[in-house]
Amino acid sequence: MTRHNVFGFDLSDAQRRQSLRRRCAPYWQVTEYGRAVGYLVYPSGISYWMARLRLRDESYRQHRIGLTEDNCDADGMSFEQACAQAEAWYRSTPFAPHASDARPLGSVEHLLACPIGDTYTIGHALAELVEWKRLVAARSHFLTVVVLTNFHIVPRLFELPAGQMNSEHLRWFVKDVLETPPKRGNRSIEPRRSVESMTDEELRKRKKTINTLIGLLRMALTMAWENGRIDSDRPWRCLRRLPNVDRPRVLHLSRAECFRLLEACSSDLRRLVLGALYTGCRATELMRMQASHVGRDGPGVYVTPVKSYRPRVVLLPDEGFAFFSSLAKGKKPSEPLFVRDDGRYWFTNYRHAFKRSVVDAGLPDGFCFHGLRHTYASQLVQSGAPLIVVAEQLGHRNIDTVSRTYSHLAPDARLAEVRKRFASLIVGRGSSTAMDDYSG
């Protein structure tokens, strides 16, 4: 199978390029967010380098750069030369003023400000926390810490001397974050909104974000106090989380809705959706699954850790195990289970395809791929599965999260347990006589 990277096809190797199927559409490799170099090989065998530019209105413009070196032509360009020519076109094209901003590939893994000076600031404490998280936290959690810190804490508290943090600073910070709409990808930030104008659900979500931020600040300042950077424990003791209630999950699919969704999916997306419905796995966990992960520890699939360092095995029903076994059949042990029909890897591009399928299936507009995980858990809970079983299948450390999130879905199981465990208060008398006592 042709090798790819997470941003499209790897076009730097001539042997890999020549293994691509000839077609009238380019193969793309993203070089920066908003910029890509393409390889176009026609059925005749002639191949060209292409360049693609993303505009602010989310449309694209592309340009043919020239022949590739694969044509045995003295004027053919290498991949490196094509990248240089693409850069020149990005600057000279008439569409350049309308182009989206180019950003390096990958996630930001450092603070966007550097603490300086002899005064120990919150910025210094955050820098030490980030380096500690880099060592001990799972990668996904570490990246979340960096993103939240850069967007919310750095512009507000970075230069404040750590020893001066108090409840008044916390009150101002909480209000400012509450009224700032959440950042969604590369979209422009929406205008500020007062707390009074928010719905209960919007306010709950903002408070949840703030509690996460307070947790990060508290950890950073606690480490600073323990390491002797500040003399008082007041800066971290004043950081109290906001009262907030995690609401149970209510948006999940019935089996009839699952069937409608599967019918609306393309064949490759349908495989990914089935994988989530059979296992309750996150999208990233499914994309990391390899052929060797199926059946290695019994009738199940091994799941590499994403949000923690704890791997797990998700046990499968017979139907699900047959599905995963069919995906693994004929593949090398290290080959991924879930790929697109054209052989490319899935990455964030599944989101747009899934959104279209949700609309086509007539499902609630707010339903996202992660809702399949909740659908899986909801079905188990509604069927009477013990919460510890659900927690182990989902990869939770204990049943607390499952209990808070899904226990409301099992009223029948709860009622059956109460009826079975409750001892009669009226010994030796029939139920009708007991009811007569109450009615009299």
Side-chain angles (χ1 to χ4, degrees), residues 241-435:
R241 290 180 172 85
L242 307 184
N244 201 29
V245 178
D246 280 341
R247 295 187 178 176
R249 301 287 180 180
V250 295
L251 191 55
H252 59 275
L253 301 184
S254 65
R255 268 307 182 248
E257 289 173 325
C258 289
F259 296 146
R260 280 165 36 204
L261 175 61
L262 291 169
E263 288 294 322
C265 292
S266 60
S267 58
D268 46 7
L269 181 62
R270 186 174 187 272
R271 294 191 293 270
L272 198 65
V273 170
L274 275 173
L277 290 173
Y278 280 132
T279 63
C281 286
R282 305 173 180 90
T284 307
E285 292 173 335
L286 293 171
M287 294 173 199
R288 292 184 178 184
M289 286 183 183
Q290 300 175 359
S292 61
H293 293 168
V294 179
R296 59 182 285 179
D297 294 293
V301 60
Y302 174 83
V303 182
T304 57
V306 172
K307 293 189 69 175
S308 69
Y309 284 121
R310 299 183 305 277
R312 70 184 189 278
V313 174
V314 177
L315 299 179
L316 295 166
D318 293 342
E319 176 184 309
F321 188 61
F323 167 75
F324 275 90
S325 297
S326 68
L327 294 181
K329 187 176 181 180
K331 291 187 175 181
K332 297 178 180 178
S334 61
E335 287 190 50
L337 287 180
F338 296 95
V339 293
R340 297 168 64 181
D341 283 342
D342 61 5
R344 300 174 69 181
Y345 288 168
W346 285 108
F347 51 106
T348 56
N349 51 8
Y350 76 92
R351 295 172 183 166
H352 299 294
F354 185 79
K355 186 66 175 178
R356 287 195 300 270
S357 297
V358 166
V359 173
D360 293 343
L363 300 179
D365 185 60
F367 191 79
C368 62
F369 194 92
H370 199 74
L372 300 176
R373 179 172 168 86
H374 302 314
T375 297
Y376 173 82
S378 300
Q379 184 203 2
L380 290 181
V381 172
Q382 287 174 315
S383 300
L387 296 186
I388 185 61
V389 171
V390 181
E392 289 174 349
Q393 289 285 93
L394 295 178
H396 292 305
R397 183 176 302 172
N398 51 51
I399 68 170
D400 292 347
T401 301
V402 175
S403 180
R404 289 197 310 269
T405 307
Y406 303 107
S407 61
H408 69 290
L409 297 173
D412 293 339
R414 192 163 73 245
L415 178 59
E417 286 296 315
V418 170
R419 285 175 170 171
K420 183 169 66 175
R421 311 294 181 187
F422 190 81
S424 175
L425 295 174
I426 305 174
V427 180
R429 302 182 65 179
S431 58
S432 60
T433 306
M435 291 305 298

